[in-house]
Amino acid sequence: MTENASQQPAATPELPTQYAPAEVEGKLYERWVERGYFTADPESEKPPYTIVIPPPNVTGSLHLGHAFQHTLMDALTRRKRMQGYEALWLPGMDHAGIATQNKVEQQLGEEGKSRHDLGREEFVERVWQWKEEYGGKILGQMRRLGDGVDWTRERFTMDEGLSAAVQTVFKKMYDDGLIYRAERIINWCPRCLTAISDIEVDYQDDDGELVSIRYGEGEESLVVATTRAETMLGDTAVAVHPDDERYAHLVGRRIKLPLTDRTIPVVADTHVDPEFGTGAVKVTPAHDPNDFAIGRRHDLESMTVMDERGVITVAGPFEGLDRFEARSAVVGALREQGRIVAEKRPYVHSVGHCSRCSTTVEPRLSLQWWVKVETLAKGAGDAVRDGRVTIHPKEMEQRYFDWVDNLRDWCISRQLWWGHRIPVWYGPEGQVVCVGPDEQPPTGEGWTQDTDVLDTWFSSGLWPFSTLGWPEQTPELKKFYPTDVLVTGHDIIFFWVARMMMFGLYVMDGEVPFKTIALTGLVRDERGKKMSKSFGNVVDPLDWMDTYGSDAVRFTLAKGANPGTDVPIGEDWVQASRNFANKIWNATRFALMNGATVEGELPPAEQLSATDRWILSRLDRTVAEADAYYDDFQFAKLSETLYHFAWDEVFDWYVELSKTTFFAGGEQAKVSGRVLGEVLDVMLRLLHPIVPFVTETLWTTLTGNESVVVADWPKAVKVPGADAPGGFRDEAAEKEIELVQQVVTEVRRFRSDQGLQPGQKVPAELALAGTDLAPHEAAIRQLLRLQPAGDGFHATATLPVAGATVALDLSGTIDVEAERKRLTKDLGAAEKEKAQATGKLGNEAFLAKAPDNVVDKIRGRLAKAQADIERITAQLANLPQG
């Protein structure tokens, strides 16, 4: 019995005959928000529990991936709130630099304008207008899902407080020498016209061409192969391995670069693999990261041969051509000169594409801002290695280490207008001044601010502490940092998780940003296929919520949530979850109509029937299992446990076994009614974090209390008079009811085999005397539709089961001869199948030639035939004789 449930008598049970999610979900959610259930108090003396939401893009809308992770975060937070924690689930959005700018530029394009027509200030104002009008759609959709977030603390990565945090961190890192400006090879998107980080490049296999080109003349020539022939216009060397004797005579000499009037040196560099291709590679330092490194080692010139849009800028016949047009033109010109030694087409190779627009990325030498990550990345790795941060599941740790241990310096500047502008000013005489949030930028003629903005992941990397008010030392920061759990997909462990780890440890004096990283898989369709618009299998979760209710969607997602594993989901499964919600509703309604109550204490143990003691013992085990699964983020096992306890044990067994007691009335009915009320009370509280709406309606009706959102989380079941160190466990009662279940299950199976309808009544004698089954005869007869054996009873089938005997008179229920004929025919077919399969498996010639899958299939047929023979033989033996 909970403290909450004992505060007042239960309200008169008034539940509609059917559960209609659409009629209750929206009203319930607004009531929760209005009553402040989700608002966290930093002055509270309760222990804190904090989750910050992975901020969805301001351009986004709720998809199944969001719904999946939000369901898990909401479940964790709701449970902790019920356990007495001051739980904060903090919501917000990311400004999503490239994605949002693209949206507004598309809008301008429809008006025949570009951002340059507006100018920077007016364009940024236009983006803010777009954000206010169209952005944040997902926030309203989160309400539909039931997200118990603290709306009073909603944040945005471009709001005033987070902007101050970004500028403060940039200034601190700049002063500490961790942020610098340098010319390096970056990933460049010729459509978005900005640098993008390594993790924003999607690699896919593309059809291209591999051409082998002869550089130089006669004995002073060599062959190089390339998939990007147009970049040869910027070659400044050919590299060979120092130990490659084939080219030893050329190292240090210069050879003619085709299609140009230049000569380039042959250099020796250990980066070259002499076993790959011809053992000679062209070196284009301005357009390839490996070539850039070779260029640095050999002091080579870096020649940029195309502009920001991928158009060739080298004077000559190719100037003005798009990079792909230039590729064909260059190959054609080389072919005319007899320089093409070999061509392979198509040549499938991995090519990088912009994750935002799918344009082929161009490696490009560019002056950008960088974060020096070596010490930061080491700290992020050490925090996991020394146990300050736990990654769950543990097998994902290595993936994290592989990333942070090999992290390269991070390019943080973007050539966009929407975002946090880099707080650096350049003076007329080459001065460079970095300005903090409380400092005035330099003024006067010739001073200009850097035009670039910061990578979106820079600001979202500060999310765990910037959203709590840092750099101000706020009560929220003191109370709720570090956060407890980060729930996120394994796909952004590189994008976001590692960034937050580096920033948190650096900014918060070595304090980790979260204690646990709970990694989830990705949501896929019911066949395990990735959801994609191109596949036509993308599902809008709002459609399913409209049809089946939010609880059904949430329960389906939680039921598939094995840590770090992808989650398949199909509409049939959501429908099954809707059926589960209906089952809870109907069974609770029945229970309330038949005396289920939470009034008063539980009756003492000596007043409880074995059935009552069994369900309370099973309830106590379920509470313990639920806690263990929650603490281990095993949502799939948790959901399965609660599903089977509710549907199977409570509704299909306890309620059914107790019906005779309820119908008989009297004191024992009152006892069982109180037990059933206790079971429903605890069960609904256990289910609430995952299916909040239906449980809220049922629990408040059952208990008459304010809300299950603020109810106590269930603890061990206590029964007066049953002294136990933990909760209530009754092994004897559990074994006793297991015997009842065994009898009912076996007889039901026999009835089904004989073709009897579930509701068809059959005369029977039950020999239960001297067994633990004796007290349950009435319930067994009720469950099995067994009538008393009257005059003229003739046992035509006798079933020994669980130490007892059930004798049935089937003479008036089936056509014995017709059934015998049907079964005999089925037996003959099974024996024929067995003979055929046995013959094939005994044929050595067949086994020598047949594929393994064919042989396995025949073995399966043999096993099935043998099982069928045993089953049918038993059915024939149990048929009435005469």
Side-chain angles (χ1 to χ4, degrees):
M1 173 72 202
T2 69
E3 180 181 346
N4 284 352
S6 63
Q7 291 171 356
Q8 53 184 301
T12 303
E14 293 181 0
L15 288 173
T17 55
Q18 291 185 324
Y19 177 51
E23 296 177 12
V24 301
E25 289 180 349
K27 295 175 185 176
L28 282 182
Y29 188 83
E30 291 310 316
R31 186 187 307 161
W32 293 335
V33 174
E34 288 167 7
R35 292 180 177 177
Y37 294 155
F38 307 141
T39 303
D41 180 7
E43 305 300 329
S44 167
E45 294 184 0
K46 296 178 181 178
Y49 183 82
T50 317
I51 295 179
V52 292
I53 205 165
N57 287 353
V58 68
T59 58
S61 60
L62 190 74
H63 56 65
L64 276 173
H66 289 130
F68 172 49
Q69 291 181 0
H70 288 204
T71 294
L72 305 189
M73 286 183 275
D74 194 33
L76 291 170
T77 314
R78 285 177 182 269
R79 173 179 176 247
K80 285 296 182 181
R81 190 178 290 116
M82 295 171 75
Q83 285 182 314
Y85 287 78
E86 194 62 34
L88 169 62
W89 185 19
L90 192 146
M93 292 183 299
D94 194 293
H95 66 279
I98 295 177
T100 308
Q101 179 157 321
N102 282 348
K103 286 278 187 184
V104 180
E105 288 199 77
Q106 288 169 12
Q107 200 176 62
L108 287 174
E110 294 170 2
E111 302 170 13
K113 299 177 183 178
S114 74
R115 60 177 162 133
H116 300 286
D117 294 324
L118 273 64
R120 184 167 191 144
E121 287 189 15
E122 189 176 341
F123 176 77
V124 170
E125 179 59 33
R126 179 72 176 258
V127 180
W128 278 108
Q129 291 173 7
W130 183 92
K131 184 257 180 185
E132 294 304 318
E133 186 173 355
Y134 301 105
K137 178 182 178 183
I138 192 172
L139 298 179
Q141 295 168 339
M142 287 163 55
R143 292 173 177 262
R144 283 288 314 278
L145 189 65
D147 284 7
V149 296
D150 185 348
W151 291 111
T152 68
R153 289 185 168 80
E154 179 190 334
R155 302 306 298 267
F156 179 54
T157 52
M158 288 278 285
D159 69 28
E160 186 176 341
L162 269 66
S163 294
V166 167
Q167 202 169 345
T168 301
V169 171
F170 189 99
K171 169 72 171 173
K172 175 176 170 58
M173 297 183 80
Y174 180 86
D175 291 345
D176 287 348
L178 293 174
I179 286 181
Y180 64 95
R181 197 179 189 215
E183 199 173 41
R184 300 276 182 83
I185 292 285
I186 48 90
N187 303 298
W188 181 265
C189 177
R191 198 209 69 83
C192 296
L193 299 179
T194 181
I196 58 177
S197 66
D198 291 345
I199 52 180
E200 292 170 307
V201 178
D202 293 336
Y203 286 91
Q204 63 187 50
D205 287 341
D206 286 358
D207 285 345
E209 62 178 346
L210 181 68
V211 293
S212 298
I213 310 167
R214 183 174 297 282
Y215 284 22
E217 305 293 344
E219 293 184 0
E220 295 188 354
S221 68
L222 37 68
V223 175
V224 300
T226 181
T227 58
R228 301 166 66 218
E230 72 282 3
T231 63
M232 69 164 292
L233 301 173
D235 285 359
T236 54
V238 172
V240 298
H241 194 275
D243 300 331
D244 194 334
E245 295 182 359
R246 292 173 296 175
Y247 305 115
H249 67 291
L250 293 177
V251 174
R253 306 186 69 168
R254 301 183 72 86
I255 60 174
K256 181 76 165 54
L257 177 65
L259 305 183
T260 73
D261 57 2
R262 294 190 291 119
T263 60
I264 56 176
V266 177
V267 299
D269 195 280
T270 54
H271 171 76
V272 180
D273 180 0
E275 302 298 324
F276 184 77
T278 64
V281 297
K282 59 192 287 298
V283 182
T284 321
H287 291 277
D288 183 274
N290 293 322
D291 293 3
F292 177 78
I294 293 174
R296 284 288 182 90
R297 288 194 289 271
H298 297 277
D299 197 25
L300 300 175
E301 181 185 0
S302 294
M303 292 182 58
T304 300
V305 300
M306 63 184 77
D307 66 12
E308 60 184 11
R309 296 182 184 276
V311 174
I312 300 299
T313 57
V314 178
F318 311 109
E319 186 176 8
L321 293 179
D322 172 79
R323 54 186 169 152
F324 299 117
E325 296 173 334
R327 183 173 301 171
S328 297
V330 166
V331 171
L334 290 168
R335 193 182 293 114
E336 287 182 8
Q337 292 187 6
R339 293 281 179 179
I340 301 296
V341 176
E343 296 180 68
K344 186 175 182 181
R345 188 184 298 111
Y347 178 73
V348 179
H349 61 133
S350 182
V351 177
H353 294 260
C354 174
S355 63
R356 298 294 179 187
C357 68
S358 298
T359 300
T360 300
V361 168
E362 190 64 40
R364 186 168 188 259
L365 186 63
S366 181
L367 184 62
Q368 302 283 347
W369 285 94
W370 303 80
V371 169
K372 192 180 295 183
V373 301
E374 184 178 2
T375 57
L376 300 174
K378 183 180 184 303
D382 289 347
V384 174
R385 287 187 169 97
D386 63 26
R388 283 175 289 159
V389 176
T390 301
I391 292 180
H392 190 90
K394 188 173 179 60
E395 54 265 27
M396 286 284 183
E397 276 187 4
Q398 192 55 49
R399 191 173 179 185
Y400 174 80
F401 293 141
D402 288 345
W403 176 255
V404 297
D405 292 350
N406 297 285
L407 203 56
R408 297 188 300 178
D409 284 2
W410 171 22
C411 176
I412 56 171
S413 46
R414 298 292 181 268
Q415 290 63 57
L416 304 170
W417 287 356
W418 171 246
H420 295 281
R421 195 164 173 181
I422 288 176
V424 170
W425 271 256
Y426 305 108
E429 297 180 8
Q431 306 100 313
V432 179
V433 176
C434 181
V435 177
D438 299 322
E439 300 172 348
Q440 290 296 319
T443 58
E445 187 177 349
W447 282 94
T448 58
Q449 185 178 359
D450 196 298
T451 57
D452 290 350
V453 301
L454 287 166
D455 178 9
T456 295
W457 297 101
F458 191 99
S459 52
S460 59
L462 314 182
W463 191 252
F465 52 88
S466 64
T467 52
L468 296 173
W470 188 92
E472 300 298 324
Q473 296 303 305
T474 63
E476 286 81 3
L477 190 67
K478 182 179 179 182
K479 177 75 173 180
F480 297 112
Y481 190 90
T483 67
D484 287 88
V485 181
L486 174 70
V487 178
T488 190
H490 61 65
D491 56 323
I492 62 170
I493 190 171
F494 314 129
F495 286 85
W496 192 44
V497 178
R499 310 290 192 216
M500 287 188 290
M501 287 283 281
M502 291 191 296
F503 278 135
L505 291 164
Y506 171 71
V507 171
M508 302 302 288
D509 298 322
E511 196 166 23
V512 297
F514 26 72
K515 300 163 190 171
T516 301
I517 302 168
L519 295 172
T520 69
L522 307 179
V523 179
R524 297 181 177 272
D525 71 13
E526 63 267 33
R527 297 178 182 84
K529 194 172 184 180
K530 180 180 178 181
M531 287 193 174
S532 166
K533 289 180 180 178
S534 60
F535 296 153
N537 61 351
V538 173
V539 173
D540 185 345
L542 295 170
D543 292 340
W544 282 352
M545 289 184 214
D546 290 341
T547 305
Y548 304 109
S550 298
D551 283 335
V553 174
R554 291 171 61 115
F555 192 74
T556 305
L557 291 165
K559 206 173 180 184
N562 290 298
T565 303
D566 289 349
V567 183
I569 184 171
E571 188 166 4
D572 288 349
W573 305 340
V574 184
Q575 186 173 351
S577 295
R578 188 271 311 274
N579 295 343
F580 178 53
N582 288 342
K583 180 76 170 182
I584 299 171
W585 182 274
N586 294 333
T588 303
R589 184 171 177 273
F590 168 85
L592 290 170
M593 292 170 61
N594 286 275
T597 180
V598 295
E599 291 188 58
E601 294 296 325
L602 273 174
E606 61 268 18
Q607 293 183 18
L608 301 178
S609 69
T611 307
D612 294 333
R613 297 196 306 275
W614 165 74
I615 196 62
L616 289 173
S617 185
R618 291 298 306 139
L619 177 65
D620 189 66
R621 291 184 192 276
T622 301
V623 171
E625 288 174 16
D627 279 329
Y629 288 142
Y630 260 118
D631 292 340
D632 199 33
F633 306 99
Q634 297 280 358
F635 289 97
K637 292 180 179 178
L638 166 71
S639 301
E640 285 290 337
T641 294
L642 296 180
Y643 175 91
H644 289 296
F645 176 72
W647 193 305
D648 299 342
E649 296 186 299
V650 178
F651 302 141
D652 280 358
W653 284 108
Y654 181 73
V655 169
E656 293 298 323
L657 286 169
S658 301
K659 276 184 178 178
T660 53
T661 301
F662 289 134
F663 294 160
E667 286 303 312
Q668 192 57 49
K670 291 180 181 179
V671 170
S672 293
R674 180 63 191 87
V675 169
L676 181 54
E678 181 76 9
V679 171
L680 291 175
D681 169 25
V682 174
M683 182 196 77
L684 291 170
R685 284 184 283 138
L686 289 174
L687 280 165
H688 172 71
I690 299 175
V691 284
F693 295 108
V694 67
T695 52
E696 171 79 340
T697 306
L698 294 174
W699 189 85
T700 53
T701 303
L702 171 70
T703 67
N705 285 309
E706 180 184 341
S707 174
V708 70
V709 177
V710 290
D712 294 334
W713 182 251
K715 296 179 181 177
V717 176
K718 299 294 183 181
V719 175
D723 297 327
F728 178 76
R729 300 289 172 89
D730 192 322
E731 301 280 355
E734 289 193 39
K735 290 179 180 178
E736 186 171 321
I737 300 304
E738 282 176 14
L739 292 177
V740 175
Q741 292 172 325
Q742 189 177 340
V743 169
V744 172
T745 301
E746 287 297 321
V747 176
R748 277 178 175 167
R749 183 180 295 118
F750 175 77
R751 287 175 57 108
S752 176
D753 288 343
Q754 301 307 314
L756 297 177
Q757 295 301 313
Q760 192 171 352
K761 294 183 178 181
V762 178
E765 283 184 346
L766 275 62
L768 308 179
T771 74
D772 290 336
L773 295 166
H776 305 283
E777 179 170 351
I780 292 171
R781 286 187 176 276
Q782 171 70 26
L783 288 170
L784 291 171
R785 304 294 188 267
L786 301 180
Q787 295 176 316
D791 294 338
F793 175 81
H794 175 60
T796 59
T798 302
L799 305 176
V801 57
T805 302
V806 178
L808 304 172
D809 184 353
L810 304 179
S811 57
T813 58
I814 61 172
D815 184 335
V816 176
E817 286 309 312
E819 185 67 9
R820 191 185 307 281
K821 188 177 294 184
R822 181 185 70 81
L823 290 173
T824 301
K825 181 179 178 182
D826 291 346
L827 180 61
E831 289 174 337
K832 182 178 179 181
E833 175 73 5
K834 176 184 177 182
Q836 290 177 343
T838 302
K840 286 188 176 182
L841 293 174
N843 186 333
E844 294 295 335
F846 170 78
L847 293 176
K849 296 179 180 179
D852 290 345
N853 64 319
V854 173
V855 175
D856 289 342
K857 187 175 181 180
I858 293 172
R859 288 195 179 110
R861 285 168 48 191
L862 176 60
K864 182 179 183 304
Q866 289 172 329
D868 287 345
I869 291 168
E870 291 176 9
R871 175 179 57 80
I872 297 168
T873 301
Q875 288 177 247
L876 282 166
N878 283 314
L879 281 176
Q881 301 298 315

